[in-house]
Structures are given as C-alpha cells and as structure tokens.
Amino acid sequence: MKRPLEMAHDFLAEVVTQDDIVVDATMGNGHDTLFLAKLAKQVYAFDIQEQALEKTQERLNQAGLTNAQLILQGHETLDQFVTEVKAGIFNLGYLPSADKSVITQPQTTIEALEKLCRLLVKGGRIAIMIYYGHEGGDIERDAVLNFVSQLNQQEYTAAIYRTLNQVNNPPFLVMIEKLERYRHG
Ligand SMILES: C[S@@+](CC[C@H](N)C(=O)[O-])C[C@H]1O[C@@H](n2cnc3c(N)ncnc32)[C@H](O)[C@@H]1O
C-alpha cells in the first residue's frame, strides 16, 4: 500500500506537465520542490525560514534544475507571485532538522489554501500532508478538515487518505481537485 506522501506525489504527478506552474507551499528541506521541479515548467516555493531556502537551493543545484523560484515569505502571500496554478502541495507542521517551534499556523494555512483553490485551474489539484502530533497540530488539522469539507461540491472534489491502525498520530493526506466542469444540481 502506498504511504500518504507517495500518494500525494502520485496524485499531483497525474496532472502536472512541462507546461504547468505549480506551488510548494512549505518548502522545508526541498523534497517536494525537487519533485515538482522535475515535472513542471515553473515551481514557486515558499518558506519563512532561511535554512529552508538554503537546503532547497542545494538540492536543486545538485539536480541541475533552475525552474524553481524560492521565496522567503509565508505561503499566505502566494497570490503576489502566481495567477494560475495547476497543482500545489502543503506539508504542515515543523521542519524536523530545524527549530521545532516554527510551525505552520491554522490562520495562514487556511488563507493560503483559500487563495490556492481560487487560483487553481480547472483539473488542478492540491495535496495537503497533515502532521498533527505536535502542540497545536490538532487545531490546524481540524481547521483544514473544516475548510476542505465545506468546499462547494459542484466545483471541487475533496478526499482523504489515512491509515486506520497506526499509533503515534500518523500523518495523513487530504486531496482537492478543481472539477473540469461546474456540476449543476
Ligand atoms: C513539514 S515542513 C515541510 C517539509 C518539506 N516539504 C520537505 O520536503 O522537506 C513545514 C515547513 O513549513 C514552513 N512554514 C511555516 N509557516 C509557513 C508559512 N506561513 N509559509 C510557508 N512556509 C511555512 C516551516 O518553516 C517548515 O519548513
């Protein structure tokens, strides 16, 4: 069975082409930025920690990729950089190798999600990896589930992929797709 992060990548890879603009909302060590840079025309990657940009730039250099713009700003400002997006990924929580008190926050995460949903092209997708074992993680998890559950079903499909028998708050995946055609009724 696929792990949630593998599922997240496969979910995005199914729709992203070399013509597409995509967003990595939480750059961290750059694993998702690298993954997306191999698939897309241009990646816009966000993080609020300088360390994330350094690590990610190193990773991209090693792979010889130059199609990612690394932005030292919160993902809630993504609408300043992109107008149409084919796919986006969020990895919520903290960066394991850095200051664990720097975590994604419900209010800015929802603001970024709202904006990304609006800028998503039809057929576009968002993958959200939810880590919630840390302090405050349960509040952000619930805020995201609440936001996603209320998306208009005529415009979006939202789904969840989660193991049912693992201990220690295993991360899980929330997927959003903007429908090709508005569904009436
Ligand atoms: C779980 S880590 C991301 C891991 C990353 N995807 C990777 O492949 O290594 C979460 C990241 O979100 C960042 N972060 C926290 N608040 C943010 C915000 N408002 N906008 C963008 N990134 C933020 C943290 O600095 C941290 O690096």
Side-chain angles (χ1 to χ4, degrees), residues 5 9 24-33 46-49 52 56 59 71 73-77 89-96 98-99 102-105 108-109 112 129 131:
L5 185 58
H9 283 183
D24 180 359
T26 50
M27 195 186 319
N29 285 325
H31 295 103
D32 298 324
T33 306
F46 297 83
D47 208 292
I48 52 172
Q49 299 192 72
T56 303
R59 210 175 278 288
I71 300 159
Q73 277 184 215
H75 40 223
E76 62 279 10
T77 67
I89 188 162
F90 290 75
N91 253 281
L92 303 180
Y94 58 82
L95 188 59
D99 180 352
V102 182
I103 53 171
T104 51
Q105 300 287 342
T108 39
T109 298
M129 283 295 306
Y131 297 80

Side-chain angles (χ1 to χ4, degrees), residues 1 100 130 169:
M1 203 184 290
K100 292 190 176 50
I130 303 193
N169 306 315

Side-chain angles (χ1 to χ4, degrees), residues 1-162:
M1 203 184 290
K2 284 182 203 167
R3 288 179 297 124
L5 185 58
E6 284 175 74
M7 185 72 151
H9 283 183
D10 290 353
F11 176 64
L12 300 186
E14 274 175 22
V15 298
V16 175
T17 72
Q18 292 285 319
D19 296 325
D20 292 328
I21 307 283
V22 299
V23 166
D24 180 359
T26 50
M27 195 186 319
N29 285 325
H31 295 103
D32 298 324
T33 306
L34 178 66
F35 169 74
L36 290 172
K38 289 178 182 166
L39 297 176
K41 178 165 85 177
Q42 180 74 28
V43 186
Y44 291 85
F46 297 83
D47 208 292
I48 52 172
Q49 299 192 72
E50 187 79 55
Q51 181 186 327
L53 274 75
E54 286 164 13
K55 285 261 172 153
T56 303
Q57 191 58 62
E58 248 175 60
R59 210 175 278 288
L60 291 165
N61 290 347
Q62 276 168 11
L65 290 166
T66 55
N67 59 332
Q69 185 172 336
L70 310 187
I71 300 159
L72 185 60
Q73 277 184 215
H75 40 223
E76 62 279 10
T77 67
L78 62 90
D79 56 332
Q80 295 173 14
F81 299 87
V82 288
T83 51
E84 278 203 338
V85 180
K86 184 64 166 289
I89 188 162
F90 290 75
N91 253 281
L92 303 180
Y94 58 82
L95 188 59
S97 56
D99 180 352
K100 292 190 176 50
S101 69
V102 182
I103 53 171
T104 51
Q105 300 287 342
Q107 198 189 331
T108 39
T109 298
I110 299 300
E111 188 180 340
L113 267 176
E114 267 171 6
K115 288 179 174 173
L116 200 53
C117 281
R118 190 157 35 78
L119 299 175
L120 209 58
V121 298
K122 290 194 165 71
R125 293 180 171 184
I126 302 173
I128 312 159
M129 283 295 306
I130 303 193
Y131 297 80
Y132 57 96
H134 55 284
E135 203 183 329
D138 52 342
I139 296 173
E140 188 177 41
R141 173 199 63 198
D142 293 347
V144 171
L145 288 175
N146 185 48
F147 169 80
V148 172
S149 308
Q150 292 187 33
L151 286 170
N152 181 347
Q153 64 169 12
Q154 289 160 338
E155 212 180 339
Y156 301 93
T157 299
I160 196 165
Y161 182 71
R162 152 153 60 182

